[in-house]
Amino acid sequence: MTFQGRVGAVNRLTARWAATTEGGTVCSAVGVWPLLAYLADGAAGAARAELAEALGVAADQAATAASELLGALDAVPGLDAALGLWTHATMRLREDWRATLPAGTHGTFGDDLDAAQEKLDAWAAERTGGLVERLPVQLTRGARMVLASALALRTDWQQPFTETLLRPDTGPWRRRDLLGLRRRSARPEDVEVAETPDGLVTGLGVHGDNGIDVHLVIGAERMTPGQVLTAGIRIVTGTLTATDGGRLSVGHTGPGLRVEREPAGTPESRTLDVRTVAYEVRADHDLLKRHALFGLTTARGHRRGHFPGVSESPLAIGAARQSALARFGARGFHAAAVTAIMARPGSAPRHHHEATVVRVSLDRPFGFLAVHRESRLVLVAGWVTDPAPYRAPTPPGGAVTR
């Protein structure tokens, strides 16, 4: 399988996960996929088949695909990815399985669970620059193995936004004082509109300076978050035909979008005027609540072991969780995700011209997708329901004006 094939497999898992979105959240299938792949390599029976189906990769190719994906992520500027494996001191791994993991990955823990948890939490915080402060699973007395990934990404906008007060007149954020972000550019092609069976979807690309872009997507008001995000993923991966803002006619409207004429200093110029909100979204996911999505249905069963290729000791999945964060502001975007799977024992001036202005206003709940521009790999996906509040600047000297 080529690297683009692996990108497609990860993006399909992202799309299936995003389709289940109901409220404000953030998630990263990129953080889950390598863990499932290494487990698939060591699994047997129904657990092996289910993991392979969830991955979209044959089980005997999964470990190689995971290692190559992690290597490719390391080469992306602004993106840090790490894998960690810890086993109980009494458990022995099969050497051929451990050899498939990156060098320096493996550590051990003993019966002092407080000390072990502190060590694993410190790893999560260090690998994400403090954005995620602890591992999302809690070690238990029966824990025999923890396989974890950490992902941290950051990008600065090529063109920053200006912070402003935004108070929507309608919708769920009506009359709330929000930290608005606004900018104007000569790139109307950064916005796209696509038609889906569920309704129209508008996507706005915000370009980072290191090859990572964040796409903001908003749909018709009747559409669910899952429907909007699914369409957004199809837009950014090129599997859904969309019309960019440079080709939209005056009078065109769509979700959060309208094209109109206004006075301008030069004739026939076309600009993009964007108004959105700053936000920070945090979420914790129990992957076992969606065990079928991640191929973990059989692997949960503790009456027998499911990973003979990992260890002679019978193992079953006791916990699988992800903690994630995304932060969008005037100057850039930061996101992080830590995923862990724990195994247990089995059982203006006057003008004389007009310009076309493509106006985008995201002033009600919308989705976001952080994407590696070159490969179109979706790194993080999420939905915004509670944007950052506006706080008036403090006057010089801290004085309070009346």
Side-chain angles (χ1 to χ4, degrees), residues 269-286:
S269 58
R270 180 176 284 238
T271 58
L272 175 64
D273 186 271
V274 174
R275 185 179 64 161
T276 184
V277 292
Y279 60 83
E280 178 176 298
V281 182
R282 295 176 181 265
D284 293 303
H285 303 280
D286 184 348

Side-chain angles (χ1 to χ4, degrees), residues 2 15 47 113 151 171 178 182 196 228 272 281 326 356-357:
T2 64
L113 297 186
L151 182 78
L178 304 176
R182 190 162 191 175
T196 78
V228 176
L272 175 64
V281 182
T356 300
V357 181

Side-chain angles (χ1 to χ4, degrees), residues 16 18 37 50 59 111 115 185 203 205-206 211 218 220 267 275 316 340 355 365 377 393 402:
R16 294 196 301 273
E50 290 169 2
D111 292 331
S185 74
V206 185
I218 189 168
R275 185 179 64 161
L377 175 64
R402 297 184 183 274

Side-chain angles (χ1 to χ4, degrees), residues 50-215:
E50 290 169 2
L51 283 164
E53 183 177 358
L55 290 164
V57 174
D60 59 358
Q61 302 174 14
T64 299
S67 297
E68 292 177 352
L69 176 64
L70 290 171
L73 294 177
D74 278 341
V76 176
L79 177 64
D80 296 316
L83 189 81
L85 170 70
W86 298 269
T87 56
H88 192 272
T90 61
M91 196 187 94
R92 296 182 61 184
L93 292 171
R94 293 194 183 277
E95 188 56 39
D96 55 346
W97 182 80
R98 184 171 63 175
T100 64
L101 276 65
T105 297
H106 183 215
T108 60
F109 60 91
D111 292 331
D112 187 343
L113 297 186
D114 289 339
Q117 188 74 49
E118 184 177 345
K119 178 171 68 174
L120 271 59
D121 290 347
W123 178 88
E126 179 183 359
R127 294 295 184 171
T128 63
L131 292 177
V132 178
E133 297 178 347
R134 58 184 59 87
L135 209 68
V137 298
Q138 190 74 27
L139 288 176
T140 62
R141 187 61 58 189
R144 287 297 174 264
M145 184 179 81
V146 176
L147 184 62
S149 71
L151 182 78
L153 67 93
R154 60 199 174 278
T155 190
D156 293 330
W157 306 135
Q158 292 179 1
Q159 180 189 357
F161 291 84
T162 299
E163 294 185 349
T164 185
L165 169 65
L166 175 64
R167 179 181 284 180
D169 295 325
T170 60
W173 301 338
R174 180 173 176 262
R175 294 184 178 177
R176 288 179 58 181
D177 289 347
L178 304 176
L179 179 53
L181 303 175
R182 190 162 191 175
R183 75 178 191 187
R184 196 164 180 130
S185 74
R187 294 177 55 92
E189 64 274 15
D190 286 346
V191 66
E192 297 178 291
V193 181
E195 185 173 356
T196 78
D198 303 307
L200 290 175
V201 173
T202 300
L204 170 71
V206 185
H207 301 292
D209 62 358
N210 56 2
I212 296 175
D213 301 329
V214 177
H215 296 259

Side-chain angles (χ1 to χ4, degrees), residues 41 47 111 118 181 216 230 244 253 272 280 305 384:
D41 180 63
D111 292 331
E118 184 177 345
L181 303 175
L216 308 180
T230 299
D244 71 59
T253 61
L272 175 64
E280 178 176 298
V384 180

Side-chain angles (χ1 to χ4, degrees), residues 206-277:
V206 185
H207 301 292
D209 62 358
N210 56 2
I212 296 175
D213 301 329
V214 177
H215 296 259
L216 308 180
V217 288
I218 189 168
E221 292 192 44
R222 67 179 181 275
M223 294 178 69
T224 67
Q227 290 171 335
V228 176
L229 283 170
T230 299
I233 292 170
R234 293 188 61 200
I235 292 174
V236 302
T237 57
T239 61
L240 179 62
T241 301
T243 303
D244 71 59
R247 294 183 292 153
L248 297 174
S249 59
V250 173
H252 185 101
T253 61
L257 173 73
R258 65 183 188 275
V259 183
E260 56 191 34
R261 302 284 287 178
E262 70 171 21
T266 58
E268 298 305 321
S269 58
R270 180 176 284 238
T271 58
L272 175 64
D273 186 271
V274 174
R275 185 179 64 161
T276 184
V277 292

